[in-house]
Amino acid sequence: MKKSLLTLTLSAAFAVSAHAQSSVTLYGLIDTGIVYTNNQTGHSAWQMATSSTQNTVFGLKGSEDLGAGLHTIFKLEQGFLLNNGAQAFSGSAFGSQAWVGLQSDPYGTLTFGRQFDVMNDAVGPLTAGFNTWGGSIAAHPFDNDNLAANSVVVNNSVKYASPVYRGVTFETMYSFSNKAGNFANNRSYGFGLSYAQGPLNLAAGYLQLNNAGNGSGAVTTADTSANFIAERQRIWSLGGNYTFGAATVGLVWSHTQIDNVAGVFSFGTGSYLGANDSTAGTLAGSLRLDNYEVNAKYAFTPALSVSGAYTFTHGAYNGSSPGWNTAMLQTDYALSKRTDFYVEGVYQNVHGAPADSVLSHAMLNTLSPSSTGTQVAVIAGLRHQF
């Protein structure tokens, strides 16, 4: 009996030792609040909302040390709606992220699966729409440049990220259509370059989507990842920020070209607005958008901060010149390292768009469209990370 017990104890000790260099972590983020909107489809609204600023998710991530600076890494993540428990990506077990890869300390990281695009990785963190101090609702109109908080997830992707060299990181990605005999139909590719040294951060990126939303492929409508249904969408972006003391200020520019656009995804309604849409007008032809954002954040104390951002978006659409003004102001108080409370107001006005087009309706991200060219929303929310 004593010999059997000793054998069992030693076996357990060896098993723990064998797995000592591996780790699996359960993690998540919950964002919920009460939202007042002055106009959604012609009516004011009080609503309980989730993911107004950050995606509400839970997931598993892990790594295994293979030796010589090489690691196996993975992440499986699902988004969900806190107010009713539904999946954010309907029908997907891990719709938010699902990837596996190899990480080499001297050579960089190579990952495979469903991932966020590289431009979002590089330039996104410089925008208000990406960060907790602004969030998804403060993103550029229709999130036309994919810079909001991880809103577009790309299937069938191979991504490479270099190690940091003197503050510089390079990323590139190719996402397959996975269609036999139709290699270029619904594929995506791009790159991102970032520099971080002391108080200065700079980044630039390019992303191209071919036939996004066209059935299965890199970016689909079934999982709500496609922002636009179009023949081609090309995005260039450039940004930077600088921190001095308790303040951080930033500037971001992006240019989006959308060819043969047929519709745009409405974050709040879960449907596409476009051709033959009687409630919001039509959308067809060529669309060009330039976004100019200035943002700032100031920490009064380690717990209390205030932030703001303003974006002017200049458009060109079938001979018209629509323009959007989007402004955000937030105050945030951290109750602990993992829990914070925030109050945020966001305003959007659009002018110059054809009256019969989707573009003539203000539409803050995560909300249904306004019946007019103006929309205002105020949120009181609570976030918790685990």
Side-chain angles (χ1 to χ4, degrees):
M1 177 68 180
K2 290 182 178 179
K3 183 177 181 181
S4 299
L5 182 59
L6 177 62
T7 301
L8 180 62
T9 302
L10 290 174
S11 298
F14 281 121
V16 171
S17 177
H19 294 282
Q21 301 303 313
S22 300
S23 67
V24 176
T25 303
L26 172 67
Y27 70 94
L29 186 148
I30 298 171
D31 176 11
T32 189
I34 304 299
V35 182
Y36 167 77
T37 314
N38 74 322
N39 188 321
Q40 289 192 65
T41 62
H43 304 279
S44 62
W46 288 91
Q47 299 168 292
M48 179 182 175
T50 185
S51 304
S52 293
T53 63
Q54 298 290 290
N55 293 347
T56 295
V57 299
F58 70 91
L60 295 169
K61 60 183 178 180
S63 67
E64 180 187 13
D65 189 346
L66 302 176
L70 186 64
H71 311 265
T72 303
I73 56 174
F74 77 90
K75 181 174 283 190
L76 302 172
E77 182 180 285
Q78 174 62 303
F80 65 98
L81 308 180
L82 187 71
N83 53 320
N84 60 14
Q87 293 178 323
F89 301 91
S90 181
S92 299
F94 297 103
S96 185
Q97 295 185 73
W99 53 260
V100 66
L102 293 172
Q103 181 182 57
S104 167
D105 294 341
Y107 300 114
T109 302
L110 188 65
T111 50
F112 306 83
R114 178 171 167 83
Q115 308 175 71
F116 299 122
D117 70 76
V118 291
M119 192 173 69
N120 186 274
D121 291 346
V123 186
L126 302 175
T127 70
F130 183 96
N131 287 281
T132 57
W133 47 266
S136 304
I137 195 170
H140 304 157
F142 314 110
D143 189 25
N144 66 84
D145 48 14
N146 290 15
L147 293 179
N150 305 326
S151 66
V152 177
V153 195
V154 189
N155 297 321
N156 315 323
S157 294
V158 181
K159 181 194 288 188
Y160 169 76
S162 73
V164 179
Y165 178 72
R166 296 188 177 181
V168 176
T169 305
F170 173 75
E171 289 190 34
T172 187
M173 169 191 277
Y174 187 90
S175 305
F176 294 85
S177 69
N178 276 9
K179 296 182 179 181
N182 210 347
F183 185 80
N185 189 6
N186 199 348
R187 66 174 175 174
S188 175
Y189 51 88
F191 69 87
L193 184 68
S194 59
Y195 171 82
Q197 201 76 284
L200 179 64
N201 294 275
L202 301 171
Y206 173 78
L207 179 68
Q208 180 163 326
L209 310 174
N210 290 351
N211 289 309
N214 184 8
S216 62
V219 181
T220 71
T221 58
D223 60 16
T224 70
S225 284
N227 286 338
F228 292 89
I229 298 177
E231 178 183 349
R232 183 173 62 177
Q233 181 177 358
R234 291 173 289 173
I235 307 167
W236 294 260
S237 64
L238 180 67
N241 67 25
Y242 191 85
T243 299
F244 47 97
T248 301
V249 295
L251 295 170
V252 177
W253 165 81
S254 65
H255 174 74
T256 301
Q257 294 185 195
I258 308 172
D259 302 322
N260 291 330
V261 60
V264 59
F265 182 70
S266 172
F267 288 81
T269 63
S271 62
Y272 279 86
L273 305 177
N276 303 318
D277 191 302
S278 59
T279 61
T282 62
L283 189 63
S286 174
L287 178 61
R288 304 289 185 266
L289 297 163
D290 282 282
N291 305 281
Y292 306 90
E293 176 186 329
V294 57
N295 58 63
K297 179 185 177 184
Y298 185 82
F300 291 98
T301 71
L304 179 64
S305 66
V306 64
S307 56
Y310 168 75
T311 299
F312 173 69
T313 301
H314 177 265
Y317 174 67
N318 295 346
S320 67
S321 299
W324 289 259
N325 297 284
T326 307
M328 177 279 299
L329 184 65
Q330 183 195 104
T331 183
D332 181 89
Y333 184 77
L335 303 173
S336 70
K337 290 183 177 180
R338 298 190 298 167
T339 303
D340 65 302
F341 173 80
Y342 65 91
V343 177
E344 181 171 338
V346 190
Y347 164 88
Q348 186 179 95
N349 170 265
V350 57
H351 58 275
D356 62 346
S357 78
V358 171
L359 306 180
S360 65
H361 297 259
M363 188 176 76
L364 295 173
N365 294 306
T366 76
L367 300 177
S368 298
S370 171
S371 63
T372 71
T374 301
Q375 191 170 59
V376 178
V378 179
I379 315 165
L382 180 70
R383 281 185 297 247
H384 176 72
Q385 301 179 56
F386 61 91

